């Protein structure tokens, strides 16, 4: 099952993966596979685009996010 997310200004697939999964390793390819034609938008995705985020595989370790703005 995929969770849809909406892109923000200047988002890339990597930025979406980092924000949604907390990593890019092993999930960027899955997002591109789950969204045929997504790469046709180029490196910066249009704002407001709905992207399906498939469930992450447990094969790659997740990184802990650090928020420096609190």
């Amino acid at each position: 099952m995929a969770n849809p997310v909406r892109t923000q200004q200047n988002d890339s697939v990597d930025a979406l993966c980092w924000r949604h999964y907390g990593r890019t390793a092993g999930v960027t390819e899955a997002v591109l596979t789950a969204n045929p034609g997504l790469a046709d938008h180029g490196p910066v995705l249009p704002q407001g685009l709905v992207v399906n985020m498939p469930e992450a595989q447990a094969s790659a370790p997740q990184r802990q996010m650090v928020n420096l703005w609190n």
Side-chain angles (χ1 to χ4, degrees), residues 5-12 16 19 41 44-51:
V5 297
R6 192 170 299 274
T7 57
Q8 299 174 7
Q9 186 175 6
N10 297 322
D11 265 347
S12 63
L16 286 176
R19 199 164 54 243
H41 291 284
V44 178
L45 301 173
Q47 183 175 354
L49 184 68
V50 175
V51 178

Side-chain angles (χ1 to χ4, degrees), residues 4-69:
V5 297
R6 192 170 299 274
T7 57
Q8 299 174 7
Q9 186 175 6
N10 297 322
D11 265 347
S12 63
V13 175
D14 281 346
L16 286 176
C17 291
W18 184 258
R19 199 164 54 243
H20 187 78
Y21 302 114
R23 63 185 175 156
T24 58
V27 292
T28 302
E29 297 83 2
V31 170
L32 290 169
T33 300
N35 296 276
L38 185 61
D40 295 340
H41 291 284
V44 178
L45 301 173
Q47 183 175 354
L49 184 68
V50 175
V51 178
N52 291 317
M53 306 298 281
E55 296 214 16
Q57 301 294 324
S59 60
Q62 290 194 7
R63 293 183 179 172
Q64 182 178 1
M65 281 187 122
V66 176
N67 188 347
L68 301 176
W69 298 103

